Amino acid sequence: MSLLVVGSVAFDTLETPFGKVERTVGGAATYFSVAASYFTHVSLVGVVGEDFTRQDEGVFKGRRIDISGLERAEGKTFFWAGRYGIDPNDRVTLTTELNVFSTFQPQIPDRFRKSRHIFLANIDPTLQRSVLEQIEGKPHLVALDTMNYWIESTPAELRAILRRTHILMINDAETRMLANEHNLLRAARHIFKMGPTTLIIKRGEHGALMVHKDFVFAVPALPLEEVHDPTGAGDSFGGGFMGYLASQPRVTDAALRRAMVYGSVMGSFAVERFGLDRLRRVTRKDINARARHFAKLTQFEL
Ligand code: AMP
């Protein structure tokens, strides 16, 4: 059974201290599905405009990604431009042009409707809800990403979808904003009352923290010599995390911990080069080697 992702497919213009690339293929659903496809089959639902060429679609080709749910609409593809400082957590959005995304109504193709693992990337919570309404039966695992804009401007809609979410994946500022609580553990307790049973706090170069109802687990970010472009790190983390879980027979506590490591592995590849350049070229061997590297990085005896 494949993993369903619904979210943005975009053109990104990216500026970092290491250079600039214009209109490269990006978007949350793109990073997510490329990362997840190393672990499982992925069904992608999103929208692009008439300017998205066959060549642009090449990022999905030759992988276990079914793009029959990628709608082509009249108009231009979603466009995002961002700039990073020397601190990779320091990101400024320069432009967001919604274009075809502004009228997007996700249509889940019939054969994706029985998906048991679902990732709702950062989009309008009303659209996230409409995705779940099209799913037949009860999914095993629904994970969701959101952002400050939706937390502030559509709190009731966000609360409605959170009631149906198992795993919430957001950053630390979003966690504090959603829970109205600075302390992350106390914030997690507030968030559990909203629906999710697991909160994953993405902390950029400080790694990721998983707060589960029964335990807390942390993974550092891999210290890297080359961090050229942090774009897509969070979504690649999500892809590694959900892709690994979807490949497992059951969602046990041990599987959740390993998923945190595979998420961190995919995030670490994403940032090494601009856009999808590195993530597209990794092999299963690279992934396994890096997972072992994480194990060594955090191993100690008492
Ligand atoms: P990340 O760095 O993982 O948080 O995600 C970066 C990706 O998110 C980029 O490729 C953008 O195209 C996409 N993106 C940026 N802003 C938005 C937005 N408001 N809605 C959906 N996707 C977005």
Side-chain angles (χ1 to χ4, degrees):
M1 186 50 80
S2 77
L3 165 62
L4 175 69
V5 55
V6 184
S8 59
V9 175
F11 286 127
D12 290 343
T13 288
L14 310 165
E15 274 179 64
T16 86
F18 298 90
K20 180 171 180 179
V21 293
E22 308 249 1
R23 286 176 56 78
T24 185
V25 174
T30 311
Y31 282 101
F32 179 94
S33 54
V34 171
S37 68
Y38 289 98
F39 301 89
T40 191
H41 289 271
V42 183
S43 315
L44 186 154
V45 172
V47 63
V48 291
E50 294 152 312
D51 52 354
F52 200 85
T53 63
R54 294 273 163 233
Q55 198 184 339
D56 295 322
E57 272 178 18
V59 293
F60 304 112
K61 290 278 150 67
R63 307 181 171 278
R64 293 182 282 176
I65 306 176
D66 183 338
I67 57 165
S68 56
L70 183 63
E71 188 190 320
R72 190 174 291 271
E74 253 177 54
K76 289 203 287 184
T77 302
F78 176 84
F79 174 74
W80 180 78
R83 185 193 294 141
Y84 299 83
I86 200 77
D87 173 354
N89 285 359
D90 170 19
R91 157 153 103 186
V92 181
T93 290
L94 302 172
T95 314
T96 303
E97 290 171 15
L98 292 176
N99 300 329
V100 291
F101 218 62
S102 63
T103 50
F104 177 49
Q105 294 293 334
Q107 292 302 322
I108 311 300
D110 283 349
R111 67 174 190 288
F112 297 173
R113 288 184 181 216
K114 288 198 167 71
S115 299
R116 296 294 80 148
H117 296 85
I118 300 170
F119 183 72
L120 302 168
N122 169 31
I123 50 172
D124 184 335
T126 311
L127 299 187
Q128 293 176 321
R129 190 158 134 199
S130 95
V131 171
L132 286 195
E133 271 153 19
Q134 295 174 61
I135 298 301
E136 292 167 10
K138 206 171 166 359
H140 295 319
L141 202 60
V142 176
L144 178 138
D145 186 7
T146 191
M147 68 189 289
N148 51 0
Y149 177 79
W150 305 116
I151 297 171
E152 279 175 330
S153 63
T154 58
E157 290 80 357
L158 184 60
R159 289 293 185 108
I161 184 74
L162 281 176
R163 281 196 283 276
R164 301 169 70 178
T165 297
H166 304 110
I167 301 183
L168 177 63
M169 290 190 197
I170 48 180
N171 69 28
D172 33 13
E174 291 155 356
T175 301
R176 292 179 169 123
M177 185 186 271
L178 177 63
N180 198 17
E181 162 65 59
H182 190 80
N183 179 283
L184 294 176
L185 286 183
R186 280 203 297 269
R189 304 274 163 240
H190 288 301
I191 290 172
F192 292 156
K193 289 188 198 129
M194 300 176 195
T197 50
T198 306
L199 171 67
I200 294 176
I201 306 172
K202 298 176 286 183
R203 311 187 73 194
E205 61 169 351
H206 305 298
L209 185 70
M210 175 165 65
V211 189
H212 182 275
K213 281 199 154 156
D214 307 320
F215 63 90
V216 179
F217 181 65
V219 179
L222 192 69
L224 291 167
E225 290 204 15
E226 310 223 13
V227 177
H228 282 182
D229 169 22
T231 309
D235 299 303
S236 306
F237 174 95
F241 182 93
M242 287 296 285
Y244 176 74
L245 282 183
S247 75
Q248 297 301 296
R250 286 192 308 121
V251 181
T252 58
D253 292 355
L256 282 169
R257 289 168 196 257
R258 283 194 298 272
M260 284 283 286
V261 173
Y262 285 109
S264 305
V265 164
M266 300 318 283
S268 76
F269 285 125
V271 303
E272 282 185 320
R273 292 284 175 270
F274 273 85
L276 285 148
D277 280 0
R278 178 74 175 106
L279 198 62
R280 291 174 72 170
R281 288 183 172 79
V282 298
T283 62
R284 253 329 283 232
K285 214 170 142 203
D286 297 330
I287 293 170
N288 294 343
R290 198 160 276 191
R292 284 195 295 274
H293 195 147
F294 267 91
K296 275 207 192 120
L297 184 71
T298 51
Q299 191 174 14
F300 63 91
E301 282 166 28
L302 285 179

Short mmCIF file of all heavy atoms in Angstrom, two decimals, residues 100-151:
data_model
loop_
_atom_site.label_atom_id
_atom_site.label_comp_id
_atom_site.label_asym_id
_atom_site.label_seq_id
_atom_site.Cartn_x
_atom_site.Cartn_y
_atom_site.Cartn_z
N VAL A 100 -1.63 28.84 -9.62
CA VAL A 100 -2.66 27.80 -9.73
C VAL A 100 -3.05 27.22 -8.36
O VAL A 100 -4.10 26.60 -8.21
CB VAL A 100 -2.24 26.62 -10.66
CG1 VAL A 100 -2.18 27.08 -12.10
CG2 VAL A 100 -0.92 26.01 -10.21
N PHE A 101 -2.21 27.45 -7.37
CA PHE A 101 -2.47 26.92 -6.03
C PHE A 101 -3.63 27.65 -5.37
O PHE A 101 -4.27 27.10 -4.46
CB PHE A 101 -1.20 27.11 -5.21
CG PHE A 101 -0.91 25.98 -4.28
CD1 PHE A 101 -0.68 24.71 -4.77
CD2 PHE A 101 -0.85 26.17 -2.91
CE1 PHE A 101 -0.42 23.66 -3.92
CE2 PHE A 101 -0.59 25.14 -2.06
CZ PHE A 101 -0.37 23.87 -2.56
N SER A 102 -3.92 28.88 -5.81
CA SER A 102 -4.95 29.69 -5.13
C SER A 102 -6.35 29.10 -5.33
O SER A 102 -7.24 29.34 -4.52
CB SER A 102 -4.90 31.14 -5.59
OG SER A 102 -5.20 31.18 -6.95
N THR A 103 -6.54 28.31 -6.40
CA THR A 103 -7.87 27.73 -6.62
C THR A 103 -7.84 26.21 -6.53
O THR A 103 -8.78 25.53 -6.95
CB THR A 103 -8.41 28.14 -8.02
OG1 THR A 103 -7.38 27.85 -8.98
CG2 THR A 103 -8.78 29.61 -8.08
N PHE A 104 -6.76 25.69 -5.98
CA PHE A 104 -6.55 24.23 -5.91
C PHE A 104 -7.59 23.57 -5.00
O PHE A 104 -7.79 23.99 -3.87
CB PHE A 104 -5.14 23.96 -5.39
CG PHE A 104 -4.78 22.52 -5.19
CD1 PHE A 104 -5.01 21.58 -6.19
CD2 PHE A 104 -4.16 22.11 -4.01
CE1 PHE A 104 -4.65 20.25 -6.00
CE2 PHE A 104 -3.80 20.78 -3.82
CZ PHE A 104 -4.05 19.85 -4.82
N GLN A 105 -8.27 22.55 -5.53
CA GLN A 105 -9.20 21.73 -4.75
C GLN A 105 -8.72 20.29 -4.93
O GLN A 105 -8.93 19.71 -5.99
CB GLN A 105 -10.64 21.84 -5.29
CG GLN A 105 -11.28 23.20 -5.15
CD GLN A 105 -11.53 23.56 -3.68
OE1 GLN A 105 -11.68 22.68 -2.84
NE2 GLN A 105 -11.55 24.84 -3.36
N PRO A 106 -8.01 19.73 -3.95
CA PRO A 106 -7.43 18.40 -4.17
C PRO A 106 -8.48 17.35 -4.52
O PRO A 106 -9.49 17.23 -3.84
CB PRO A 106 -6.77 18.05 -2.83
CG PRO A 106 -6.89 19.23 -1.96
CD PRO A 106 -7.76 20.25 -2.60
N GLN A 107 -8.24 16.64 -5.62
CA GLN A 107 -9.10 15.52 -6.04
C GLN A 107 -8.28 14.26 -5.89
O GLN A 107 -7.27 14.09 -6.57
CB GLN A 107 -9.49 15.67 -7.52
CG GLN A 107 -10.39 16.83 -7.84
CD GLN A 107 -11.70 16.75 -7.05
OE1 GLN A 107 -12.24 15.67 -6.86
NE2 GLN A 107 -12.18 17.89 -6.56
N ILE A 108 -8.69 13.39 -5.00
CA ILE A 108 -7.91 12.17 -4.78
C ILE A 108 -8.40 11.11 -5.78
O ILE A 108 -9.57 10.72 -5.75
CB ILE A 108 -8.10 11.64 -3.33
CG1 ILE A 108 -7.90 12.78 -2.30
CG2 ILE A 108 -7.16 10.47 -3.05
CD1 ILE A 108 -6.56 13.45 -2.33
N PRO A 109 -7.52 10.68 -6.70
CA PRO A 109 -7.94 9.65 -7.66
C PRO A 109 -8.44 8.41 -6.92
O PRO A 109 -7.95 8.09 -5.83
CB PRO A 109 -6.65 9.34 -8.42
CG PRO A 109 -5.79 10.54 -8.24
CD PRO A 109 -6.13 11.09 -6.89
N ASP A 110 -9.43 7.72 -7.54
CA ASP A 110 -10.07 6.56 -6.90
C ASP A 110 -9.07 5.58 -6.30
O ASP A 110 -9.24 5.12 -5.19
CB ASP A 110 -10.93 5.79 -7.91
CG ASP A 110 -12.23 6.55 -8.15
OD1 ASP A 110 -12.51 7.50 -7.37
OD2 ASP A 110 -12.95 6.20 -9.10
N ARG A 111 -8.00 5.30 -7.09
CA ARG A 111 -7.14 4.23 -6.60
C ARG A 111 -6.22 4.67 -5.44
O ARG A 111 -5.53 3.85 -4.85
CB ARG A 111 -6.33 3.62 -7.74
CG ARG A 111 -5.32 4.48 -8.38
CD ARG A 111 -4.57 3.56 -9.37
NE ARG A 111 -3.41 4.21 -9.91
CZ ARG A 111 -3.48 5.19 -10.80
NH1 ARG A 111 -4.64 5.63 -11.22
NH2 ARG A 111 -2.37 5.73 -11.25
N PHE A 112 -6.23 5.97 -5.10
CA PHE A 112 -5.45 6.42 -3.93
C PHE A 112 -6.33 6.50 -2.68
O PHE A 112 -5.86 6.83 -1.61
CB PHE A 112 -4.87 7.82 -4.14
CG PHE A 112 -3.87 7.97 -5.27
CD1 PHE A 112 -3.42 9.24 -5.62
CD2 PHE A 112 -3.36 6.87 -5.95
CE1 PHE A 112 -2.51 9.41 -6.65
CE2 PHE A 112 -2.45 7.04 -6.99
CZ PHE A 112 -2.02 8.32 -7.34
N ARG A 113 -7.65 6.26 -2.85
CA ARG A 113 -8.58 6.56 -1.75
C ARG A 113 -8.52 5.59 -0.59
O ARG A 113 -9.04 5.87 0.48
CB ARG A 113 -10.02 6.66 -2.27
CG ARG A 113 -10.19 7.92 -3.08
CD ARG A 113 -11.61 8.11 -3.54
NE ARG A 113 -11.64 9.34 -4.32
CZ ARG A 113 -12.62 10.19 -4.34
NH1 ARG A 113 -13.69 9.96 -3.62
NH2 ARG A 113 -12.56 11.28 -5.07
N LYS A 114 -7.85 4.46 -0.84
CA LYS A 114 -7.72 3.48 0.26
C LYS A 114 -6.35 3.61 0.93
O LYS A 114 -5.96 2.72 1.70
CB LYS A 114 -7.94 2.07 -0.26
CG LYS A 114 -9.41 1.80 -0.61
CD LYS A 114 -9.68 0.31 -0.70
CE LYS A 114 -11.16 0.00 -0.74
NZ LYS A 114 -11.82 0.37 -1.99
N SER A 115 -5.63 4.70 0.66
CA SER A 115 -4.29 4.88 1.25
C SER A 115 -4.40 4.78 2.76
O SER A 115 -5.33 5.34 3.36
CB SER A 115 -3.72 6.24 0.88
OG SER A 115 -3.57 6.35 -0.50
N ARG A 116 -3.43 4.08 3.36
CA ARG A 116 -3.44 3.92 4.83
C ARG A 116 -2.44 4.84 5.52
O ARG A 116 -2.51 5.06 6.71
CB ARG A 116 -3.13 2.46 5.23
CG ARG A 116 -4.16 1.41 4.76
CD ARG A 116 -5.52 1.57 5.42
NE ARG A 116 -6.28 2.64 4.77
CZ ARG A 116 -7.59 2.68 4.62
NH1 ARG A 116 -8.33 1.73 5.08
NH2 ARG A 116 -8.18 3.70 4.03
N HIS A 117 -1.47 5.37 4.77
CA HIS A 117 -0.50 6.31 5.33
C HIS A 117 -0.63 7.62 4.55
O HIS A 117 -0.54 7.61 3.31
CB HIS A 117 0.92 5.77 5.20
CG HIS A 117 1.13 4.52 6.01
ND1 HIS A 117 0.82 3.27 5.54
CD2 HIS A 117 1.59 4.34 7.27
CE1 HIS A 117 1.09 2.37 6.47
NE2 HIS A 117 1.56 2.99 7.53
N ILE A 118 -0.85 8.71 5.26
CA ILE A 118 -1.16 9.97 4.58
C ILE A 118 -0.32 11.10 5.17
O ILE A 118 -0.23 11.22 6.40
CB ILE A 118 -2.67 10.29 4.74
CG1 ILE A 118 -3.50 9.15 4.11
CG2 ILE A 118 -3.02 11.64 4.11
CD1 ILE A 118 -4.96 9.22 4.42
N PHE A 119 0.28 11.89 4.28
CA PHE A 119 0.99 13.09 4.75
C PHE A 119 0.33 14.31 4.13
O PHE A 119 0.28 14.47 2.91
CB PHE A 119 2.47 13.04 4.34
CG PHE A 119 3.24 14.22 4.88
CD1 PHE A 119 3.53 14.32 6.24
CD2 PHE A 119 3.67 15.25 4.04
CE1 PHE A 119 4.23 15.42 6.75
CE2 PHE A 119 4.36 16.34 4.54
CZ PHE A 119 4.65 16.41 5.88
N LEU A 120 -0.20 15.17 5.00
CA LEU A 120 -0.82 16.41 4.56
C LEU A 120 0.23 17.50 4.74
O LEU A 120 0.49 17.96 5.85
CB LEU A 120 -2.07 16.69 5.41
CG LEU A 120 -3.12 15.56 5.37
CD1 LEU A 120 -4.18 15.74 6.44
CD2 LEU A 120 -3.76 15.49 3.98
N ALA A 121 0.87 17.87 3.62
CA ALA A 121 1.92 18.89 3.69
C ALA A 121 1.26 20.24 3.97
O ALA A 121 0.04 20.37 4.01
CB ALA A 121 2.71 18.91 2.38
N ASN A 122 2.10 21.24 4.19
CA ASN A 122 1.62 22.55 4.61
C ASN A 122 0.75 23.23 3.55
O ASN A 122 1.28 23.84 2.63
CB ASN A 122 2.86 23.39 4.94
CG ASN A 122 2.54 24.83 5.14
OD1 ASN A 122 1.45 25.18 5.60
ND2 ASN A 122 3.48 25.70 4.77
N ILE A 123 -0.57 23.07 3.69
CA ILE A 123 -1.54 23.80 2.85
C ILE A 123 -2.69 24.23 3.74
O ILE A 123 -2.74 23.88 4.92
CB ILE A 123 -2.08 22.96 1.65
CG1 ILE A 123 -2.58 21.59 2.12
CG2 ILE A 123 -1.07 22.83 0.54
CD1 ILE A 123 -3.32 20.79 1.04
N ASP A 124 -3.63 24.94 3.18
CA ASP A 124 -4.82 25.41 3.89
C ASP A 124 -5.48 24.23 4.63
O ASP A 124 -5.81 23.21 4.02
CB ASP A 124 -5.76 25.98 2.81
CG ASP A 124 -7.02 26.59 3.39
OD1 ASP A 124 -7.41 26.20 4.51
OD2 ASP A 124 -7.60 27.45 2.72
N PRO A 125 -5.70 24.37 5.95
CA PRO A 125 -6.31 23.26 6.71
C PRO A 125 -7.67 22.81 6.16
O PRO A 125 -8.04 21.64 6.32
CB PRO A 125 -6.46 23.80 8.12
CG PRO A 125 -5.79 25.11 8.17
CD PRO A 125 -5.35 25.50 6.79
N THR A 126 -8.38 23.69 5.50
CA THR A 126 -9.66 23.29 4.91
C THR A 126 -9.43 22.28 3.79
O THR A 126 -10.19 21.32 3.62
CB THR A 126 -10.40 24.53 4.35
OG1 THR A 126 -10.38 25.51 5.37
CG2 THR A 126 -11.82 24.24 3.95
N LEU A 127 -8.36 22.49 3.02
CA LEU A 127 -8.03 21.54 1.95
C LEU A 127 -7.51 20.23 2.55
O LEU A 127 -7.81 19.14 2.04
CB LEU A 127 -6.97 22.13 1.01
CG LEU A 127 -7.34 23.41 0.27
CD1 LEU A 127 -6.26 23.78 -0.74
CD2 LEU A 127 -8.68 23.27 -0.44
N GLN A 128 -6.74 20.34 3.64
CA GLN A 128 -6.25 19.12 4.30
C GLN A 128 -7.44 18.27 4.73
O GLN A 128 -7.45 17.05 4.58
CB GLN A 128 -5.38 19.49 5.51
CG GLN A 128 -4.07 20.17 5.10
CD GLN A 128 -3.24 20.62 6.29
OE1 GLN A 128 -3.77 21.11 7.29
NE2 GLN A 128 -1.93 20.49 6.19
N ARG A 129 -8.48 18.94 5.25
CA ARG A 129 -9.67 18.22 5.70
C ARG A 129 -10.39 17.57 4.51
O ARG A 129 -10.85 16.43 4.60
CB ARG A 129 -10.58 19.19 6.42
CG ARG A 129 -11.70 18.48 7.11
CD ARG A 129 -12.23 19.35 8.20
NE ARG A 129 -13.67 19.37 8.18
CZ ARG A 129 -14.40 20.29 8.77
NH1 ARG A 129 -13.84 21.30 9.39
NH2 ARG A 129 -15.69 20.23 8.74
N SER A 130 -10.46 18.32 3.40
CA SER A 130 -11.17 17.76 2.23
C SER A 130 -10.45 16.51 1.72
O SER A 130 -11.08 15.60 1.19
CB SER A 130 -11.34 18.81 1.13
OG SER A 130 -10.30 18.72 0.20
N VAL A 131 -9.13 16.44 1.91
CA VAL A 131 -8.40 15.23 1.52
C VAL A 131 -8.87 14.05 2.37
O VAL A 131 -9.23 12.99 1.86
CB VAL A 131 -6.87 15.43 1.68
CG1 VAL A 131 -6.13 14.11 1.49
CG2 VAL A 131 -6.36 16.48 0.71
N LEU A 132 -8.91 14.25 3.68
CA LEU A 132 -9.31 13.13 4.57
C LEU A 132 -10.74 12.70 4.29
O LEU A 132 -11.08 11.53 4.44
CB LEU A 132 -9.15 13.52 6.03
CG LEU A 132 -7.72 13.59 6.56
CD1 LEU A 132 -7.71 13.60 8.08
CD2 LEU A 132 -6.87 12.41 6.07
N GLU A 133 -11.58 13.67 3.91
CA GLU A 133 -12.98 13.31 3.63
C GLU A 133 -13.10 12.41 2.40
O GLU A 133 -14.09 11.70 2.25
CB GLU A 133 -13.83 14.57 3.49
CG GLU A 133 -14.36 14.95 4.86
CD GLU A 133 -14.66 16.40 5.05
OE1 GLU A 133 -14.82 17.12 4.04
OE2 GLU A 133 -14.73 16.82 6.22
N GLN A 134 -12.09 12.43 1.52
CA GLN A 134 -12.15 11.58 0.32
C GLN A 134 -11.53 10.19 0.56
O GLN A 134 -11.58 9.34 -0.32
CB GLN A 134 -11.42 12.27 -0.83
CG GLN A 134 -12.11 13.57 -1.25
CD GLN A 134 -11.28 14.32 -2.29
OE1 GLN A 134 -11.02 13.82 -3.38
NE2 GLN A 134 -10.86 15.52 -1.95
N ILE A 135 -10.95 9.99 1.75
CA ILE A 135 -10.32 8.70 2.03
C ILE A 135 -11.37 7.70 2.48
O ILE A 135 -12.23 8.02 3.29
CB ILE A 135 -9.22 8.88 3.13
CG1 ILE A 135 -8.12 9.82 2.63
CG2 ILE A 135 -8.64 7.53 3.58
CD1 ILE A 135 -7.40 9.37 1.38
N GLU A 136 -11.26 6.47 1.93
CA GLU A 136 -12.23 5.42 2.30
C GLU A 136 -11.64 4.57 3.41
O GLU A 136 -10.49 4.16 3.34
CB GLU A 136 -12.51 4.53 1.08
CG GLU A 136 -13.27 5.28 0.01
CD GLU A 136 -13.29 4.54 -1.31
OE1 GLU A 136 -12.88 3.36 -1.37
OE2 GLU A 136 -13.70 5.17 -2.31
N GLY A 137 -12.42 4.33 4.44
CA GLY A 137 -11.94 3.54 5.57
C GLY A 137 -11.07 4.38 6.49
O GLY A 137 -10.93 5.60 6.30
N LYS A 138 -10.49 3.72 7.47
CA LYS A 138 -9.73 4.45 8.50
C LYS A 138 -8.23 4.34 8.22
O LYS A 138 -7.69 3.23 8.24
CB LYS A 138 -10.06 3.82 9.86
CG LYS A 138 -9.91 4.78 11.02
CD LYS A 138 -10.47 4.10 12.27
CE LYS A 138 -10.14 4.70 13.58
NZ LYS A 138 -9.34 5.82 13.76
N PRO A 139 -7.55 5.45 7.94
CA PRO A 139 -6.11 5.35 7.71
C PRO A 139 -5.36 4.93 8.99
O PRO A 139 -5.82 5.23 10.09
CB PRO A 139 -5.70 6.76 7.28
CG PRO A 139 -6.87 7.64 7.50
CD PRO A 139 -8.07 6.81 7.82
N HIS A 140 -4.20 4.26 8.81
CA HIS A 140 -3.40 3.87 9.98
C HIS A 140 -2.71 5.09 10.56
O HIS A 140 -2.55 5.19 11.77
CB HIS A 140 -2.27 2.90 9.57
CG HIS A 140 -2.76 1.59 9.08
ND1 HIS A 140 -3.80 0.92 9.67
CD2 HIS A 140 -2.33 0.80 8.05
CE1 HIS A 140 -3.99 -0.20 9.02
NE2 HIS A 140 -3.13 -0.30 8.03
N LEU A 141 -2.26 5.96 9.66
CA LEU A 141 -1.40 7.04 10.14
C LEU A 141 -1.62 8.30 9.31
O LEU A 141 -1.42 8.29 8.10
CB LEU A 141 0.06 6.58 9.98
CG LEU A 141 1.10 7.26 10.84
CD1 LEU A 141 0.78 7.06 12.31
CD2 LEU A 141 2.47 6.67 10.53
N VAL A 142 -2.02 9.37 9.98
CA VAL A 142 -2.17 10.67 9.31
C VAL A 142 -1.16 11.62 9.95
O VAL A 142 -1.20 11.86 11.16
CB VAL A 142 -3.59 11.24 9.48
CG1 VAL A 142 -3.69 12.64 8.86
CG2 VAL A 142 -4.63 10.30 8.87
N ALA A 143 -0.24 12.14 9.14
CA ALA A 143 0.73 13.12 9.64
C ALA A 143 0.47 14.44 8.94
O ALA A 143 0.03 14.47 7.78
CB ALA A 143 2.15 12.64 9.38
N LEU A 144 0.73 15.52 9.64
CA LEU A 144 0.36 16.83 9.11
C LEU A 144 1.44 17.87 9.43
O LEU A 144 2.04 17.86 10.50
CB LEU A 144 -0.97 17.23 9.77
CG LEU A 144 -1.57 18.59 9.44
CD1 LEU A 144 -3.07 18.44 9.24
CD2 LEU A 144 -1.33 19.60 10.54
N ASP A 145 1.66 18.75 8.46
CA ASP A 145 2.55 19.90 8.65
C ASP A 145 1.68 21.14 8.50
O ASP A 145 0.67 21.13 7.78
CB ASP A 145 3.64 19.86 7.56
CG ASP A 145 4.71 20.92 7.75
OD1 ASP A 145 4.73 21.62 8.78
OD2 ASP A 145 5.56 21.04 6.83
N THR A 146 2.06 22.21 9.18
CA THR A 146 1.34 23.47 8.98
C THR A 146 2.33 24.61 9.22
O THR A 146 3.52 24.38 9.34
CB THR A 146 0.08 23.54 9.89
OG1 THR A 146 -0.70 24.66 9.49
CG2 THR A 146 0.43 23.64 11.37
N MET A 147 1.86 25.84 9.26
CA MET A 147 2.79 26.96 9.45
C MET A 147 2.10 28.08 10.22
O MET A 147 0.88 28.06 10.40
CB MET A 147 3.29 27.47 8.10
CG MET A 147 2.22 28.13 7.26
SD MET A 147 2.74 28.50 5.57
CE MET A 147 3.89 29.83 5.85
N ASN A 148 2.90 29.07 10.65
CA ASN A 148 2.38 30.18 11.47
C ASN A 148 1.16 30.85 10.82
O ASN A 148 0.19 31.17 11.50
CB ASN A 148 3.49 31.19 11.77
CG ASN A 148 4.24 31.64 10.52
OD1 ASN A 148 3.93 31.19 9.41
ND2 ASN A 148 5.21 32.49 10.69
N TYR A 149 1.16 30.99 9.50
CA TYR A 149 0.06 31.67 8.83
C TYR A 149 -1.29 31.00 9.14
O TYR A 149 -2.27 31.65 9.48
CB TYR A 149 0.31 31.68 7.30
CG TYR A 149 -0.83 32.31 6.53
CD1 TYR A 149 -0.94 33.70 6.46
CD2 TYR A 149 -1.79 31.52 5.90
CE1 TYR A 149 -2.01 34.28 5.78
CE2 TYR A 149 -2.85 32.10 5.23
CZ TYR A 149 -2.95 33.47 5.17
OH TYR A 149 -4.01 34.04 4.51
N TRP A 150 -1.34 29.67 9.05
CA TRP A 150 -2.60 28.93 9.29
C TRP A 150 -2.93 28.91 10.78
O TRP A 150 -4.11 28.96 11.14
CB TRP A 150 -2.53 27.50 8.73
CG TRP A 150 -2.17 27.47 7.27
CD1 TRP A 150 -1.05 26.93 6.71
CD2 TRP A 150 -2.92 28.04 6.18
NE1 TRP A 150 -1.06 27.12 5.35
CE2 TRP A 150 -2.18 27.80 5.00
CE3 TRP A 150 -4.13 28.74 6.09
CZ2 TRP A 150 -2.62 28.22 3.75
CZ3 TRP A 150 -4.56 29.16 4.84
CH2 TRP A 150 -3.81 28.89 3.69
N ILE A 151 -1.90 28.86 11.62
CA ILE A 151 -2.15 28.85 13.08
C ILE A 151 -2.84 30.15 13.48
O ILE A 151 -3.77 30.15 14.28
CB ILE A 151 -0.82 28.65 13.87
CG1 ILE A 151 -0.22 27.28 13.53
CG2 ILE A 151 -1.04 28.80 15.38
CD1 ILE A 151 1.20 27.05 14.07
#
